């Protein structure tokens, strides 16, 4: 969360910074700010709320904006202190000579603040970043050198940071530092760029240097110098950025979320491409680096992920356990990292993350790396921190996902997990499910067409959204492989509409949640044909007996059962095993249309950020 940006060159810095920040808005939108430097003059502009508020302020400052060719900027997701202008970055020290933007969390900021206060520093904000600004300025007082000040300050800081700092006495440079927060330096011709993520700079350059943890750098117009954690000069590789400058536009859709939901048929095609060629071919997964012999030795699988990615992992458990015959534990990364986990060289650890930057999952992966387990990373960002930790990297290539609510990346993760489960089964030589797998592969090949068929006419879901948008609470139920779909459907609804929605295993309803049911509680039940169909139907009867409004999502409901439901959405016919991939689209659309009907900020829901880089 939070995004930082820096520019040094001949362009108008304000334009590069604002354009960059607009591509980082997915990382937070509580406030934004820029510092523009011309010679020893530094002007700071900040605004609470969305980036547009800052853009409005800058409209009246054209003189400053035209003349400054060096600057740093920030977009905030509040961690310490309210989302106010005073807490917005950039932050400065008492003498205002040093200006700083920061992504991350400084864990020992209270201690540092106390020390700096006794040294006479005054603080105006509640942020940890202001403490870092004072600390670096204090160190500057000792050496009169911004690089050295940064190098000694970061040694005193505990926690995560990506910093960009400028100093009035050194107007030809931006000094940067990184630990456990992403930072990339875009390499240009007579200009250089700094950003938390490449979409912010991709329109200017295709070459970049990724800073490693512990590194500090000086970025000038014509040079970049990097120092390692021992303060020695080091060389980082200049890498070609992995994607073309893409017009990230809504393509006529009202919101990115709707566009991304509609992209899911292509997403499935992309993930299958080159891996699944025909129903009677084996899965090709060149990215998976374990030999068949080593695969046969895998004793357990551990999946770590958060939020929507965690729900994909839960579907993964069903299919890996069934087809590959390996026990699978799925756990939120934030829990995994605070207990003694048992993993060894015969454990396969799968980290799933759209962004590849989720701090909890990165920590989990780093912890388990020390245990010699093989680590697979399933991510939408092959250039991310997590991708760099992988022994086997499975990029899902869903394309940039702008909407904060994950949709198409979930689909890509699901399909990747189907590929992985079948691959493990085939490499282990398990034959028990051969016939079923031939059918599943054929279904996967046909899935993009079914996704398109489902998305062709969504009027019924729009009507449902209107009908149910006034309810304050919602329950989603399912059993078996669709239990994670119920959790994910509830998450989608609550995060963008702020309706209190909860997912349950349908069989759990009677163990407590049923107490909440009455005519004011809609229950959405997912019931695909399969071993749990009748059981879910019974759970629906129990809900109906408590007068709950009942919505069924299914590929088939027998005529005799239809009267039980107030509303039904029928999806294209699909096996129970693959049904999570179609059911979820209905739930994504329902959440979308409810939020849209309620006039919510669908793509940027309150309090959220797309990349959660703090623990
Ligand atoms: C929900 C959502 C979040 C993320 C979670 C993990 O729509 O997007 O729950 O899934 O923050 O993020 P990644 O997948 O980037 O690790």
């Amino acid at each position: 969360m939070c995004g930082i940006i820096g520019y040094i060159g001949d362009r108008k810095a304000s334009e590069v910074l604002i354009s960059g920040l607009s591509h980082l808005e997915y990382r937070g939108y509580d406030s934004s700010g820029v510092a523009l430097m011309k010679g020893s003059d530094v002007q700071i502009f900040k605004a609470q709320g969305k980036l547009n508020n800052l853009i409005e302020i800058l409209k009246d400052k054209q003189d400053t904006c035209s003349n400054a060719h060096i600057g740093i900027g920030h977009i905030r997701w509040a961690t310490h202190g309210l989302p106010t202008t005073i807490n917005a970055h950039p932050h400065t020290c008492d003498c205002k000579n040093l200006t700083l933007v920061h992504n991350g969390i400084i864990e020992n900021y209270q201690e540092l603040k106390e020390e700096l206060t006794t040294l006479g520093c005054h603080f105006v904000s509640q942020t940890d970043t202001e403490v870092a600004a004072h600390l670096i300025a204090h160190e500057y007082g000792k050496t009169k050198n911004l690089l050295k000040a940064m190098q000694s300050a970061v040694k005193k800081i505990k926690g995560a940071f990506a910093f960009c700092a400028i100093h009035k006495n050194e107007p030809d440079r931006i000094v940067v530092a990184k630990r456990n927060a992403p930072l990339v330096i875009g390499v240009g011709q007579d200009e250089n760029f700094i950003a938390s993520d490449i979409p912010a700079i991709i329109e200017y350059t295709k070459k970049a240097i990724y800073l490693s943890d512990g590194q500090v750098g000086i970025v000038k117009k014509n040079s970049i110098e990097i120092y390692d954690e021992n303060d020695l000069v080091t060389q980082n590789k200049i890498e070609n950025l992995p994607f073309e400058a893409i017009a990230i536009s809504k393509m006529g859709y009202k919101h990115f979320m709707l566009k991304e939901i509609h992209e899911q048929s292509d997403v499935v095609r992309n993930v299958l491409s080159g891996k699944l060629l025909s129903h009677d071919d084996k899965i090709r997964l060149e990215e998976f680096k374990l030999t068949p012999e080593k695969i046969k030795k895998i004793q357990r699988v551990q999946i770590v992920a958060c939020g929507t990615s965690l729900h994909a992992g839960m579907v993964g458990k069903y299919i890996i356990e069934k087809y590959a015959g390996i026990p699978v534990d799925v756990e939120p990364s934030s829990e995994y990292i605070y207990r003694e986990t048992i993993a060894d060289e015969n454990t396969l650890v799968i980290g799933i993350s759209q962004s590849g930057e989720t701090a909890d999952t990165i920590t989990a992966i780093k912890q388990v790396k020390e245990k010699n387990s093989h680590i697979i990373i399933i991510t939408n960002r092959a250039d991310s921190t997590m991708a760099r930790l992988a022994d086997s990297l499975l990029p899902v290539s869903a394309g940039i996902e702008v909407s904060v609510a994950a949709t198409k990346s979930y689909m890509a993760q699901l399909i990747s997990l189907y590929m992985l489960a079948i691959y493990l089964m085939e490499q282990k030589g398990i034959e028990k499910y051969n016939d079923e797998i031939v059918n599943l592969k054929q279904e996967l090949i046909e899935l993009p067409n079914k996704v398109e068929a489902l998305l062709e006419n969504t009027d019924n879901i729009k009507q449902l959204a209107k009908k149910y948008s006034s309810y304050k609470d919602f329950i989603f139920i399912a059993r078996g492989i669709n239990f994670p779909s119920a959790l994910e459907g509830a998450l989608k609804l609550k995060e963008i509409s702020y309706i209190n929605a909860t997912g349950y295993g349908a069989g759990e309803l009677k163990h407590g949640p049923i107490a909440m049911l009455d005519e004011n509680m809609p229950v959405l039940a997912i019931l695909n044909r399969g071993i749990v169909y009748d059981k879910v139907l019974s759970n629906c009867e129990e809900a109906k007996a408590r007068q709950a409004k009942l919505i069924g999502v299914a590929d088939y409901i027998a005529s005799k059962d239809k009267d039980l439901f107030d509303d039904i959405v029928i999806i294209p016919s699909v096996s129970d095993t693959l049904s999570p991939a179609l059911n979820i689209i209905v739930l994504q659309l329902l959440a979308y249309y409810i939020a849209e009907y309620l006039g919510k900020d669908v793509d940027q829901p309150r309090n959220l950020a797309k990349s959660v880089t703090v623990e």
Side-chain angles (χ1 to χ4, degrees), residues 264 267-268 407-415 451 581 584-585:
Q264 293 182 103
V267 166
V268 177
T407 52
K408 64 175 179 172
S409 61
Y410 179 71
M411 180 66 76
Q413 292 165 351
L414 282 188
I415 305 303
V451 171
I584 197 58
I585 297 175

Side-chain angles (χ1 to χ4, degrees), residues 24-298:
L24 296 176
E25 245 193 326
Y26 72 87
R27 303 177 71 89
Y29 29 81
D30 285 334
S31 65
S32 55
V34 291
L36 302 170
M37 176 151 81
K38 182 169 182 346
S40 60
D41 179 37
V42 175
Q43 303 271 337
I44 295 176
F45 304 100
K46 305 179 184 193
Q48 187 173 340
K50 297 270 175 82
L51 183 61
N52 274 342
N53 300 345
L54 179 65
I55 295 173
E56 280 305 312
I57 289 174
L58 291 179
K59 275 186 188 154
D60 295 336
K61 310 285 173 202
Q62 279 317 306
D63 277 359
T64 314
C65 291
S66 306
N67 292 330
H69 304 288
I70 303 176
I72 56 177
H74 187 267
I75 195 113
R76 180 166 186 247
W77 184 83
T79 57
H80 295 68
L82 294 172
T84 56
T85 309
I86 204 105
N87 286 332
H89 301 213
H91 287 285
T92 58
C93 53
D94 283 317
C95 66
K96 312 273 182 270
N97 285 345
L98 178 121
T99 308
L100 182 76
V101 290
H102 164 222
N103 166 213
I105 284 190
I106 297 168
E107 287 164 7
N108 57 337
Y109 86 103
Q110 282 293 12
E111 279 159 63
L112 292 170
K113 194 171 182 174
E114 279 161 27
E115 275 173 40
L116 290 161
T117 305
T118 56
L119 292 169
C121 296
H122 299 97
F123 295 88
V124 294
S125 78
Q126 295 134 1
T127 64
D128 52 345
T129 306
E130 193 190 3
V131 175
H134 280 277
L135 178 65
I136 300 166
H138 177 70
E139 296 301 319
Y140 189 90
K142 298 179 191 167
T143 58
K144 307 286 182 238
N145 178 306
L146 184 54
L147 170 73
K148 290 202 170 106
M150 182 68 90
Q151 285 171 327
S152 54
V154 294
K155 293 189 178 69
K156 298 185 173 161
I157 290 175
K158 292 192 186 131
F161 52 77
F163 288 131
C164 277
I166 51 176
H167 198 285
K168 286 183 181 176
N169 296 347
E170 301 184 26
D172 63 340
R173 66 194 61 194
I174 301 172
V175 169
V176 296
K178 167 190 151 58
R179 188 198 298 151
N180 292 337
L183 191 83
V184 59
I185 302 174
V187 183
Q189 185 74 40
D190 296 331
E191 60 181 352
N192 288 308
F193 307 81
I194 302 145
S196 297
D197 197 0
I198 52 178
I201 55 172
I202 191 83
E203 69 180 279
Y204 306 108
T205 180
K206 303 281 185 308
K207 297 208 174 301
I209 292 172
Y210 288 91
L211 237 56
S212 300
D213 283 342
Q215 291 187 327
V216 175
I218 304 177
V219 182
K220 295 187 186 173
K221 185 178 162 183
N222 290 309
S223 67
I224 297 163
E225 280 168 33
I226 315 267
Y227 296 82
D228 67 16
E229 48 203 343
N230 299 316
D231 302 342
L232 300 172
V233 175
T234 182
Q235 293 286 333
N236 286 24
K237 204 169 106 208
I238 298 185
E239 299 189 26
N240 290 318
L241 293 179
F243 50 79
E244 289 298 304
I246 31 169
I248 302 176
S249 89
K250 293 185 193 144
M251 309 282 282
Y253 288 95
K254 187 168 177 193
H255 294 101
F256 280 107
M257 182 175 175
L258 190 59
K259 171 183 163 245
E260 287 158 5
I261 290 172
H262 278 265
E263 284 171 347
Q264 293 182 103
S265 53
D266 284 341
V267 166
V268 177
R269 285 190 188 98
N270 276 351
V271 180
L272 296 182
S273 164
K275 296 189 179 70
L276 175 58
L277 303 185
S278 92
H279 64 275
D280 49 12
D281 244 11
K282 286 198 166 162
I283 300 289
R284 297 160 197 221
L285 213 54
E286 279 152 22
E287 297 96 333
F288 193 26
K289 303 295 180 207
L290 277 188
T291 59
E293 289 63 43
K294 290 212 167 131
I295 290 176
K296 284 182 190 134
K297 288 190 182 151
I298 297 172

Side-chain angles (χ1 to χ4, degrees), residues 306-309 352-358 361 386 404-406 413 488 491-492 495 609-612:
C306 303
T308 292
S309 300
I352 309 175
S353 173
Q354 187 286 128
S355 63
E357 298 295 348
T358 298
T361 309
M386 228 179 281
V404 165
Q413 292 165 351
E488 176 59 9
L491 177 64
K492 284 287 92 80
E495 71 181 322
K610 183 110 189 113
S611 190
V612 187

Side-chain angles (χ1 to χ4, degrees), residues 7 13 18 21 51 77 171 177 241 271 356 362 365 385 527 530 552 573 581 589:
Y7 176 73
I18 293 296
L21 290 177
L51 183 61
W77 184 83
L241 293 179
V271 180
I362 290 175
I365 296 297
T385 306
L527 3 51
S573 169
L589 285 168

